[in-house]
Amino acid sequence: MERPSYLPSTLRPPRAQCLAVVMVGLPARGKTYISRKLARYLSWLGYQTRVFNVGAYRRERLGMKHTHEFFDPSNMEAESARRSMARAAMEDMLGWFREGGEVAIYDATNHTRDRRAMVRQGCERAGVPVLFVESICDDEAIIASTVREIKLNSPDYVGVDPDEAVQDFSARIAHYEQRYETLDASDGSFVKLINVGHELVLHDLRGDLPGRLVRVLMNLHIVPRPVWLTRHGESAYNVAKRVGGDADLTPRGERFAVRLTDFFNDHVIPGDDVQVWTSTLKRATQTARYLPSPLVTWRALDEIDAGIFDGMTYEEIKAQHPEEYARRQKDKLRYRYPRGESYEDVIQRLEPIIIELERQRSPTMVITHRAVLRCLYAYFLDQPPSSCTRLDVPLHTVIELTPNAYGCDEERVPLGDPVPEEV
Ligand code: F6P
């Protein structure tokens, strides 16, 4: 039997793994921040991922206003209410796994062995392995800033005087400290994260997925810095509407290279150790050629490989290979060009770039291509992979992204010579 030319990609075998990532830590240790970060990374890689936040269950079912007394371990009534919220979130999580969910992040303090045993036993009964992730922080400055910046924006303290909120929240932390039990070997697989990635303790980790999560956790930091994403300047192939290739810049593309250098010089503070990353293709390195920083060229940043269609126009592909064209229109994420790549393939090869970008503490400029830029953008803006294939990323525009505690701020800076979008 003849093999079909169309071999859709998959990021990984379906339901190869499922995992419950169970957070552990006192209040104000960045658990929710870490949960969201892991969820964003996993969703981007194509895992069915969901965060189950026990605090949200409490607010939704028991009301918004809970002062610190509610968290006092000697308040038996409240203790039982909190336990039933933890159980409700766990039951929902297990139900979600039964419906095909792959990685759940169970976001709560889980600060006692007893509470952790409840979650672990529930997961074990459902055949779901557990990885505990504990965030420990004894750096008073970090804790104080988390208390101020994050907790004062928390729905728990809407309309509460800031000083009162800080006082109440500190009392809440003290209640949890009374019973806090750090993870140990009896808890099974775990990662302990000490002072936002300064130190990591790993215990009994198995499999590829926990290993990947460790790489994300290792590179966590909260230093704000911009990531500038841009496509190369216009190339001769853009004008001819041809995909792929390795064409030179046009005069308009050249002008963009000059304007990008002005942008760079205007935005970089002297002394900043700015990274400039490009693909290995001429149109990207030519765009970077006037920049004052040394270039790092990454093969992983090369444009999606259009395989046997490289160098053709979309119209030629449609006329000569209508079935292939239609398949791509139908499922652009998974459609793999014959002897080329799909968007899923591109996401896969960009994973080390994401980890490196997360690690950077200084500004980074990335000069790359349409499909690659869409995938990188989708990661930072938490867009589902299914929608990333059609994101608008025009030529001659710098997308400035500044990661923050909740996600990312975005600003788009057009640098002259708008170019009609290729379709
Ligand atoms: O047209 C420019 C280009 O970068 C091509 O080289 C590439 O094949 C294409 O864009 C990717 O966009 P799409 O996935 O929408 O075809």
Side-chain angles (χ1 to χ4, degrees):
M1 205 172 81
E2 205 185 317
R3 265 162 78 89
S5 67
Y6 166 62
L7 293 173
S9 64
T10 46
L11 280 172
R12 70 220 130 71
R15 300 239 357 120
Q17 307 187 40
C18 53
L19 184 69
V21 177
V22 178
M23 300 304 301
V24 177
L26 290 170
R29 264 53 180 184
K31 297 183 298 303
T32 298
Y33 168 74
I34 296 168
S35 301
R36 287 184 190 163
K37 194 126 201 165
L38 294 180
R40 176 153 65 97
Y41 166 81
L42 290 162
S43 307
W44 181 74
L45 280 176
Y47 288 93
Q48 293 295 324
T49 309
R50 186 177 296 175
V51 176
F52 292 83
N53 179 296
V54 175
Y57 278 73
R58 167 176 57 77
R59 282 185 283 272
E60 205 181 290
R61 299 183 182 190
L62 305 177
M64 302 294 271
K65 300 272 180 268
H66 286 117
T67 51
H68 71 89
E69 292 83 0
F70 185 77
F71 303 91
D72 183 340
S74 61
N75 180 346
M76 297 317 282
E77 205 181 314
E79 166 74 22
S80 135
R82 285 191 288 118
R83 194 175 174 87
S84 66
M85 292 305 102
R87 193 171 274 287
M90 184 185 78
E91 294 302 338
D92 283 356
M93 174 173 78
L94 298 179
W96 177 80
F97 275 122
R98 283 193 292 277
E99 282 162 20
E102 292 174 308
V103 188
I105 299 163
Y106 183 83
D107 179 13
T109 57
N110 297 309
H111 67 302
T112 61
R113 282 198 195 97
D114 171 56
R115 181 63 69 80
R116 296 197 288 270
M118 177 189 94
V119 182
R120 203 181 61 222
Q121 284 158 13
C123 289
E124 276 169 4
R125 275 198 300 276
V128 178
V130 171
L131 172 69
F132 288 106
V133 175
E134 180 176 11
S135 175
I136 298 175
C137 184
D138 55 16
D139 181 326
E140 289 303 331
I142 298 180
I143 299 170
S145 97
T146 314
V147 170
R148 259 194 328 272
E149 284 166 34
I150 301 186
K151 288 301 163 185
L152 299 186
N153 293 320
S154 149
D156 283 344
Y157 293 110
V158 178
V160 177
D161 167 73
D163 289 339
E164 232 175 83
V166 168
Q167 225 171 26
D168 183 81
F169 194 62
S170 306
R172 188 196 295 191
I173 296 173
H175 291 315
Y176 277 97
E177 275 168 338
Q178 284 177 47
R179 295 273 166 98
Y180 192 82
E181 291 167 316
T182 190
L183 289 165
D184 64 25
S186 68
D187 286 290
S189 298
F190 68 73
V191 180
K192 274 189 204 204
L193 190 67
I194 301 165
N195 288 334
V196 204
H198 279 268
E199 204 182 326
L200 230 65
V201 180
L202 310 181
H203 177 76
D204 199 17
L205 295 200
R206 282 147 208 248
D208 172 59
L209 191 50
R212 284 180 175 220
L213 296 180
V214 166
R215 290 215 299 156
V216 177
L217 295 170
M218 270 170 68
N219 291 303
L220 279 184
H221 67 80
I222 42 177
V223 181
R225 82 291 177 199
V227 176
W228 295 303
L229 299 178
T230 178
R231 290 173 67 186
H232 53 82
E234 181 189 67
S235 77
Y237 260 35
N238 290 133
V239 176
K241 299 194 185 305
R242 297 195 177 280
V243 301
D246 195 14
D248 291 308
L249 294 185
T250 64
R252 277 203 292 203
E254 270 291 328
R255 277 203 294 280
F256 174 67
V258 173
R259 287 184 184 139
L260 186 64
T261 309
D262 293 341
F263 171 93
F264 184 94
N265 291 331
D266 287 349
H267 285 76
V268 167
I269 301 161
D272 265 355
D273 170 29
V274 188
Q275 298 274 320
V276 178
W277 299 353
T278 73
S279 77
T280 64
L281 297 166
K282 280 194 292 182
R283 54 197 187 278
T285 53
Q286 288 173 2
T287 303
R289 68 175 150 210
Y290 307 117
L291 295 172
S293 291
L295 297 191
V296 180
T297 53
W298 294 79
R299 189 76 204 273
L301 289 173
D302 283 4
E303 182 52 309
I304 189 169
D305 181 350
I308 61 170
F309 301 146
D310 186 80
M312 293 171 75
T313 65
Y314 292 112
E315 285 191 350
E316 287 166 351
I317 300 171
K318 190 174 179 183
Q320 294 168 33
H321 304 273
E323 282 174 12
E324 294 288 333
Y325 185 85
R327 282 187 188 121
R328 186 161 200 260
Q329 292 300 309
K330 201 160 156 232
D331 185 2
K332 212 171 158 187
L333 177 68
R334 295 179 69 231
Y335 173 84
R336 179 180 276 154
Y337 279 116
R339 283 192 241 125
E341 289 181 303
S342 65
Y343 269 79
E344 279 195 336
D345 293 329
V346 174
I347 288 175
Q348 193 77 314
R349 73 161 141 96
L350 284 174
E351 201 236 10
I353 300 274
I354 289 296
I355 299 289
E356 273 302 292
L357 278 173
E358 286 287 7
R359 198 170 70 81
Q360 298 306 313
R361 282 165 164 76
S362 48
T364 310
M365 178 171 274
V366 184
I367 303 174
T368 180
H369 307 266
R370 179 152 75 160
V372 171
L373 190 46
R374 282 174 173 154
C375 296
L376 295 176
Y377 179 90
Y379 169 78
F380 283 105
L381 274 292
D382 202 7
Q383 305 276 323
S386 53
S387 73
C388 87
T389 62
R390 298 187 197 274
L391 289 171
D392 182 30
V393 288
L395 283 169
H396 301 173
T397 304
V398 176
I399 302 177
E400 177 174 277
L401 301 176
T402 310
N404 59 36
Y406 300 98
C408 226
D409 295 324
E410 174 185 354
E411 196 187 334
R412 290 191 174 215
V413 187
L415 295 179
D417 287 333
V419 177
E421 200 44 77
E422 325 87 283
V423 278

